[in-house]
Amino acid sequence: MTPLADILAARIAAEGPLPFESFMEIALYDPAHGYYTAGSPFGPAGDFYTGPAVSGALGRALGRHLAAQLAGLGISPADLVELGAGDGSLAAAVAPVVAAGVGLRSLRLVDRNIGRLPRKMAGSLPPVRRSSSSDRLPTGLAGAVYANELLDALPVARYERSRDGSLRKSWVDFRSGRFTEVWQADSGEAACEYARRYLPAAPAVYVFEHPLHIPPLLTRIGRRLRRGLVVFIDYGDRAPGLLTAERAGGTLRAFRRHRVSGALLDQPGAQDLTADVNFDFVMDCAREAGLAAAAYCTQGRFLAENGLLEEFRVGTDPASLNHNQALKHLLLPGGMGEVFKILVLGKAAGPARSSSRRSRRG
């Protein structure tokens, strides 16, 4: 067992089963042993690749989009915030392009693993302001808030809809030396409303994830952003394309060493847990937070419309071939181009509102 497995087993023995969302929170974000907080899971030596790790072209395209849109809104200089910023590699590509286009008033990077965030960026960019949570951001921001593969990493509650329409919730117990799911009747209002609004009618028995941390995250962003844009890059789909009969077992899965697994409870702290994003739910929550959907498209289309095609090189030398291969992976349907989606939200000027209560990562 992993060190975190021993800790979780002892806690369950003392307190009883944990809600699945609590198990997932600890597995991913425990300060000492969590998957995202204890190490770096990215790249060939890790468990998966992200867009910024494949090429800086993703960040440059995002920077061009943000600069053009912010200029159109008359926001100059702009505040720039990245949520789930990791080692800052995406911000290192985005920020210089935005700075060249409209200027930067501030650059803020947010990540639960604050020690991984860079303290400064190269060039003449503003000093990096680091934070471990979006609830520490100031109000009155004018500019852009963006995140790459953040929403899929937020802990989710796990439910099963029964044949009679009632819901059962997943809890994690420890029995006979292993973690196991136990299902208990649950009539939580938010989960019931999510099931009613987004799940298909058939099959009757349907396991789904309730992304309970997305509404408070969007509320915090809406309260702190006075005017500007919010951009989410993530894998998922709108509800009709995501919550289908073929996905009646849910979209939650584990990643370890570039392989997908359905063993969600194995190796806590040593494997990723992730669920596809329901972008209809994100848009609905955004609307309630005062953020309007401005654009939604595949990553491939977004990149093509924001200058990626001009970054392809002419040449057959190894550096050019590798560069072009990375761009194709970001752009084409066989790579990240179709699986990943881009959601752009906007907020018009309005009075700043007070801070919300502290919640969780973002």
Side-chain angles (χ1 to χ4, degrees), residues 22-346:
S22 297
F23 178 90
M24 185 172 175
E25 165 77 27
I26 296 167
L28 297 182
Y29 299 112
D30 177 79
H33 303 290
Y35 180 77
Y36 283 112
T37 50
S40 179
F42 312 112
D47 298 320
F48 55 85
Y49 290 97
T50 62
V54 172
S55 171
L58 173 64
R60 292 189 293 272
L62 176 58
R64 288 189 286 269
H65 178 82
L66 294 177
Q69 296 300 312
L70 293 172
L73 293 171
I75 300 176
S76 178
D79 298 307
L80 194 62
V81 179
E82 181 177 345
L83 306 179
D87 64 2
S89 58
L90 180 58
V94 174
V97 179
V98 176
V102 295
L104 280 185
R105 184 173 68 171
S106 68
L107 174 59
R108 292 175 168 86
L109 304 182
V110 181
D111 197 273
R112 284 282 288 265
N113 188 346
I114 194 170
R116 190 169 56 191
L117 293 171
R119 294 183 177 275
K120 60 182 179 179
M121 293 283 181
S124 57
L125 297 174
V128 174
R129 302 181 184 182
R130 307 187 309 163
S131 175
S132 61
S133 176
S134 60
D135 63 8
R136 298 179 183 274
L137 293 173
T139 56
L141 294 170
V145 179
Y146 66 93
N148 179 65
E149 294 192 60
L150 168 70
L151 300 182
D152 70 88
L154 297 178
V156 294
R158 198 162 134 89
Y159 286 88
E160 180 188 69
R161 181 182 66 188
S162 302
R163 292 189 181 280
D164 61 2
S166 63
L167 297 186
R168 297 193 304 160
K169 183 175 180 178
S170 169
W171 294 68
V172 178
D173 203 352
F174 189 76
R175 300 174 180 175
S176 302
R178 61 178 300 177
F179 295 103
T180 184
E181 276 190 288
V182 293
W183 299 85
Q184 299 181 11
D186 189 286
S187 57
E189 182 178 347
C192 288
E193 174 60 19
Y194 184 91
R196 183 196 66 77
R197 181 178 295 187
Y198 302 110
L199 296 193
V205 178
Y206 202 103
V207 174
F208 67 97
E209 300 86 30
H210 178 225
L212 70 170
H213 290 297
I214 286 179
L217 171 65
L218 288 165
T219 296
R220 291 197 298 276
I221 294 172
R223 288 177 173 171
R224 284 156 174 77
L225 183 67
R226 179 173 58 86
R227 189 162 66 102
L229 303 173
V230 181
V231 180
F232 290 114
I233 306 171
D234 227 312
Y235 51 84
D237 207 340
R238 302 195 71 164
L242 178 68
L243 300 172
T244 62
E246 293 74 22
R247 292 192 174 96
T251 71
L252 194 67
R253 57 204 180 276
F255 274 95
R256 180 171 170 80
R257 303 193 186 282
H258 300 273
R259 294 187 178 183
V260 180
S261 168
L264 305 177
L265 307 183
D266 289 358
Q267 306 287 328
Q271 66 176 5
D272 189 20
L273 295 174
T274 178
D276 283 38
V277 177
N278 177 355
F279 280 100
D280 274 334
F281 179 65
V282 178
M283 285 185 255
D284 289 341
C285 294
R287 190 179 307 112
E288 294 179 6
L291 302 164
Y296 172 79
C297 64
T298 64
Q299 177 175 289
R301 177 180 169 184
F302 179 87
L303 294 177
E305 291 177 350
N306 287 282
L308 187 80
L309 299 179
E310 284 132 37
E311 294 206 22
F312 278 90
R313 298 176 183 174
V314 177
T316 57
D317 58 284
S320 294
L321 293 175
N322 289 337
H323 172 82
N324 291 344
Q325 185 60 37
L327 298 190
K328 290 178 182 178
H329 189 63
L330 291 173
L331 183 67
L332 298 179
M336 296 178 167
E338 188 171 348
V339 175
F340 280 76
K341 308 300 193 302
I342 311 282
L343 173 61
V344 182
L345 307 168

